[in-house]
């Protein structure tokens, strides 16, 4: 394959994969039903000597969820606010339960003010997002790949700096190469053509290419 085309293909592949990794979770979320609180229960045990109520609260959702938080207002029999509590809940499928919740006063009623839970179906989304750790560095590396060619004495000198392969060609013929899996390392390639012209190329730390023929830059 032509090395110039190979460079373009690498960039298209990693750009496409990065875009897919970003878009797929968005598509999955848009297709998922919205998380809804369907019902709740609160069992209270009032201790008159301490004037406190120990409450066990259970939340019921329309889908399975992870552990999360909920803010609950507790009221007395006169509908006066006793306390507003943000509590951590442990999930069990579609249910979430508080472990221990103590409220000052005699609780008569309660209100779920807000909740913060994630559907457990989002676990696949987290895994897909984690792939960005691979695709973004690879995309950046692909953008740093280089190809350069110049004309000298009717000949085409081409240099390719890829992920692994680094080559120097004259009229398509491979004259020198250096293969390494190490990125950001300077590489020198050279050859002498049939007329005795010395062709040298320097590939910089960021894969920038310079070509010299007989110690003169070839552009």
């Amino acid at each position: 394959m032509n090395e110039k085309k190979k460079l373009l293909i690498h960039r298209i592949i990693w750009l496409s994969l990065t875009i897919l990794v970003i878009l797929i979770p968005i598509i999955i979320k848009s297709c998922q039903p919205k998380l809804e609180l369907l019902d709740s229960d609160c069992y209270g045990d009032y201790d008159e000597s301490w004037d406190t109520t120990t409450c066990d609260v259970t939340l019921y959702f329309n889908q399975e969820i992870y552990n999360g938080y909920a803010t609950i207002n507790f009221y007395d029999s006169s509908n006066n606010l006793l306390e507003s509590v943000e509590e951590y809940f442990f999930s069990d499928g579609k249910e979430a339960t508080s472990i221990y919740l103590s409220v000052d006063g005699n609780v008569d009623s309660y209100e779920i003010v807000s909740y913060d839970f994630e559907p457990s179906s989002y676990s696949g989304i987290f895994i897909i997002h984690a792939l960005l750790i691979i695709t973004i560095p690879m995309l950046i590396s692909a953008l740093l790949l280089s190809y350069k060619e110049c004309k000298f004495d009717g000949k085409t000198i081409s240099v390719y700096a890829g992920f692994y392969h680094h080559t120097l060609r004259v009229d398509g013929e491979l004259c020198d190469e250096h293969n390494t899996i190490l990125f950001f390392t300077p590489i020198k390639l050279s050859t002498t053509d049939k007329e005795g012209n010395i062709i040298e190329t320097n590939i910089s730390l960021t894969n920038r290419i310079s070509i010299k023929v007989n110690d003169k830059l070839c552009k």
Side-chain angles (χ1 to χ4, degrees), residues 29-134:
K29 279 189 175 182
S30 66
C31 294
Q32 290 282 348
K34 183 180 178 181
L35 181 65
E36 294 180 4
L37 179 63
L38 301 178
D39 200 359
S40 64
D41 285 330
C42 178
Y43 172 76
D45 184 15
Y46 177 62
D47 187 334
E48 188 173 355
S49 61
W50 291 93
D51 189 29
T52 59
T53 305
T54 301
C55 299
D56 293 325
V57 180
T58 302
L59 308 177
Y60 303 93
F61 291 91
N62 63 331
Q63 53 185 298
E64 294 185 359
I65 41 89
Y66 288 115
N67 299 343
Y69 288 88
T71 300
I72 309 167
N73 287 349
F74 293 95
Y75 304 91
D76 62 15
S77 58
S78 299
N79 207 34
N80 296 315
L81 178 65
L82 295 173
E83 198 170 345
S84 182
V85 180
E86 183 183 49
E87 186 69 13
Y88 188 73
F89 282 75
F90 293 88
S91 69
D92 181 15
K94 296 182 180 181
E95 300 178 8
T97 307
S98 63
I99 295 300
Y100 177 82
L101 212 165
S102 180
V103 180
D104 292 333
N106 189 358
V107 173
D108 181 71
S109 61
Y110 70 98
E111 176 190 12
I112 308 299
V113 178
S114 63
Y115 53 87
D116 184 13
F117 292 86
E118 288 285 352
S120 56
S121 58
Y122 283 7
S123 59
I125 294 177
F126 298 145
I127 295 172
I128 295 172
H129 272 147
L131 293 176
L132 288 173
I133 299 173
I134 298 173

Side-chain angles (χ1 to χ4, degrees), residues 7 144-147 159-163 165-167 203 207 209:
L7 181 150
L144 290 174
L145 301 183
S146 295
Y147 176 87
V159 180
Y160 171 71
F163 287 118
H165 296 288
H166 304 77
T167 62
I203 301 172
N207 273 353
I209 298 169

Side-chain angles (χ1 to χ4, degrees), residues 136-207:
I136 289 180
M138 290 302 295
L139 174 59
I140 293 172
S141 298
L143 292 175
L144 290 174
L145 301 183
S146 295
Y147 176 87
K148 186 175 183 179
E149 63 180 39
C150 65
K151 299 287 186 178
F152 176 78
D153 198 20
K155 299 176 182 179
T156 301
I157 303 169
S158 62
V159 180
Y160 171 71
F163 287 118
Y164 176 70
H165 296 288
H166 304 77
T167 62
L168 167 62
R169 297 177 185 272
V170 177
D171 286 338
E173 181 183 351
L174 180 63
C175 297
D176 197 9
E177 67 177 340
H178 182 88
N179 298 325
T180 178
I181 58 174
L182 297 176
F183 291 101
F184 304 111
T185 180
I187 294 171
K188 292 186 177 182
L189 301 173
S190 63
T191 188
T192 303
D193 65 12
K194 296 176 181 178
E195 287 75 28
N197 297 303
I198 300 173
I199 302 170
E200 297 175 306
T201 182
N202 289 314
I203 301 172
S204 72
L205 296 174
T206 55
N207 273 353

